[in-house]
């Protein structure tokens, strides 16, 4: 999996094909979409029209929470995603949320992997307790866990557990979607000045130096180019430590440990009523 890719969450379907076309032209080869984003078809069109060899691309999509029977529905959901993407397989299929019949969904994902419909399977938004449970009680461990990770929520404990169990940590919301004034944060900006780089580039570099795969989203070709131009500088140990001080240990989006009985909004993705 490339260490840096392109995310398409919140790009309207009618703007996604152009955005992905621009991202591919800028050099991105990992594309991260999801059934819940409503733009898999547009991603598929951009892939097809790019003429890029399928083997050079790494395509991720995600399974939304399925009603029972989860195994049948999971397979149907994957088939639908593949049809929309115009692909015979994806490179990574992620369970989008740790909810519903997680085991039923996971078993169907294992089968799909065996059948070659996805090269790898993983999860998203799994906290250490749920992740460890899944690892210990199934045949296949998730190869990836995609979780909210940015300077204000650094996920050190999650990272250590994933490293121990060889689960690749992938960051969503690496820029915290700009919350907490990330793009003008004085600590990050000063580090950027020292390297002649932007805050966005500093954040992406910080993630990469922590061995975290990152998938920044942008609809702007200039920012796409900036975000992929992060392989010609290195943050010092001191700068990594400075950024470490920004951790609040708290989500800026949605707490997956919050009560699931009352209606909740998954602002990390889209509205999802659980109760
Ligand atoms: P993000 O990448 O943290 O931030 C995107 C925002 O930053 C956009 O408003 C973008 O604006 C802006 N931006 C991008 N590059 C910039 C730059 N160089 N300078 C200034 N502003 C810049 O947010 P995200 O989209 O939530 O997360 C990334 C990807 O993770 C998603 O697209 C999706 O694929 C995935 N994700 C997964 C989950 C999950 O539950 N698994 C949840 C959320 C996201 P412009 O577009 O105008 O440039």
């Amino acid at each position: 999996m490339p260490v840096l890719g392109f995310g398409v969450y919140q790009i309207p379907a009618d703007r996604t094909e152009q955005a992905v076309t621009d991202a591919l032209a800028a050099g991105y080869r990992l594309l991260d979409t999801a059934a819940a984003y409503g733009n898999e078809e547009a991603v598929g069109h951009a892939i097809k029209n790019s003429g890029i060899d399928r083997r050079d691309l790494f395509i991720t999509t995600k399974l939304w929470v399925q009603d029972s029977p989860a195994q049948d529905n999971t397979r149907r959901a994957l088939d639908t995603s593949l049809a929309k993407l115009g692909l015979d397989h994806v490179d990574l299929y992620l369970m989008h949320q740790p909810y519903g019949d997680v085991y039923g969904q996971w078993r169907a994902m294992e089968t799909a992997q065996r059948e070659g419909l996805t090269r790898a399977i993983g999860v998203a938004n799994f906290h250490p307790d749920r992740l460890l449970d899944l690892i210990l009680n199934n045949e296949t461990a998730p190869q990836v866990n995609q979780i909210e990770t940015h300077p204000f929520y650094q996920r050190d404990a999650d990272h250590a557990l994933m490293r121990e169990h060889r689960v690749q940590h992938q960051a969503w919301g690496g820029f915290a979607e700009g919350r907490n004034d990330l793009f003008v944060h004085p600590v990050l900006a000063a580090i950027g000045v020292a390297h002649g780089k932007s805050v966005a580039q500093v954040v992406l570099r910080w993630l990469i130096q922590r061995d975290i795969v990152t998938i920044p989203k942008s609809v702007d070709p200039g920012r796409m180019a900036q975000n992929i131009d992060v392989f010609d500088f290195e943050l010092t140990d001191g700068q990594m430590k400075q950024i470490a001080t920004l951790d609040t240990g708290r989500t800026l989006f949605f707490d997956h440990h919050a009560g699931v009985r009352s209606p909740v909004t998954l602002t990390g993705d889209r509205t999802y009523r659980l109760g």
Side-chain angles (χ1 to χ4, degrees):
M1 173 165 46
V3 73
L4 191 145
F6 184 72
V8 300
Y9 174 48
Q10 284 174 321
I11 305 182
D14 62 355
R15 291 186 70 189
T16 302
E17 183 172 347
Q18 187 59 51
V20 173
T21 300
D22 291 342
L24 292 170
Y28 293 85
R29 291 296 177 264
L30 187 174
L31 302 175
D32 182 273
T33 185
Y37 299 168
N39 56 18
E40 286 170 311
E41 246 163 339
V43 170
H45 288 152
I47 292 170
K48 189 164 174 231
N49 295 335
S50 74
I52 295 170
D53 192 323
R54 173 67 184 90
R55 287 168 298 189
D56 293 334
L57 295 171
F58 190 101
I59 310 299
T60 302
T61 195
K62 311 185 194 83
L63 171 76
W64 192 244
V65 184
Q66 297 300 305
D67 295 329
S68 183
Q71 275 178 268
D72 296 350
N73 289 341
T74 297
R75 179 51 177 265
R76 251 194 300 276
L78 176 54
D79 287 344
T80 302
S81 285
L82 289 173
K84 285 187 174 171
L85 287 162
L87 301 174
D88 62 5
H89 73 279
V90 285
D91 298 279
L92 176 62
Y93 196 44
L94 297 177
M95 192 186 304
H96 207 147
Q97 300 291 348
Y99 297 134
D101 178 5
V102 166
Y103 279 83
Q105 293 171 168
W106 188 250
R107 276 192 290 275
M109 290 169 68
E110 288 180 319
T111 305
Q113 185 185 28
R114 274 195 297 274
E115 291 175 359
L117 300 179
T118 179
R119 287 171 64 207
I121 53 176
V123 295
N125 300 306
F126 273 58
H127 282 265
D129 51 349
R130 305 294 304 273
L131 184 67
L132 196 58
D133 182 67
L134 200 69
I135 291 169
L136 295 179
N137 295 298
N138 285 286
E139 235 169 75
T140 317
Q143 284 159 285
V144 171
N145 186 20
Q146 183 184 105
I147 55 175
E148 177 191 347
T149 311
H150 46 72
F152 308 121
Y153 191 29
Q154 303 194 3
R155 316 301 294 262
D156 282 337
D158 300 69
H159 188 76
L161 181 83
M162 286 189 246
R163 188 180 280 274
E164 186 186 337
H165 292 277
R166 300 169 61 83
V167 179
Q168 177 61 49
H169 183 167
Q170 189 172 43
W172 68 251
F175 299 144
E177 293 181 5
R179 293 181 189 199
N180 277 10
D181 286 335
L182 176 134
F183 292 116
V184 291
H185 193 284
V187 170
L188 301 171
I191 295 173
V193 167
H195 290 281
K197 292 284 181 181
S198 69
V199 164
Q201 289 170 315
V202 167
V203 170
L204 295 171
R205 191 67 219 173
W206 166 75
L207 287 165
I208 291 167
Q209 285 183 213
R210 293 178 66 209
D211 292 324
I212 297 174
V213 173
T214 173
I215 44 172
K217 170 264 174 187
S218 179
V219 291
D220 177 80
R223 289 194 284 272
M224 290 176 196
Q226 188 190 117
N227 295 346
I228 204 171
D229 180 22
V230 293
F231 297 99
D232 61 351
F233 75 112
E234 197 158 338
L235 301 177
T236 64
D237 288 347
Q239 289 166 339
M240 293 295 286
K241 282 189 185 126
Q242 263 184 295
I243 299 175
T245 65
L246 306 183
D247 192 13
T248 66
R250 287 220 300 273
T251 176
L252 287 182
F253 293 89
F254 172 76
D255 182 359
H256 283 80
H257 284 134
V260 293
R261 286 244 154 244
S262 52
V264 294
T265 303
L266 288 189
T267 49
D269 256 345
R270 68 170 199 186
T271 303
Y272 176 51
R273 288 192 169 269
L274 288 161

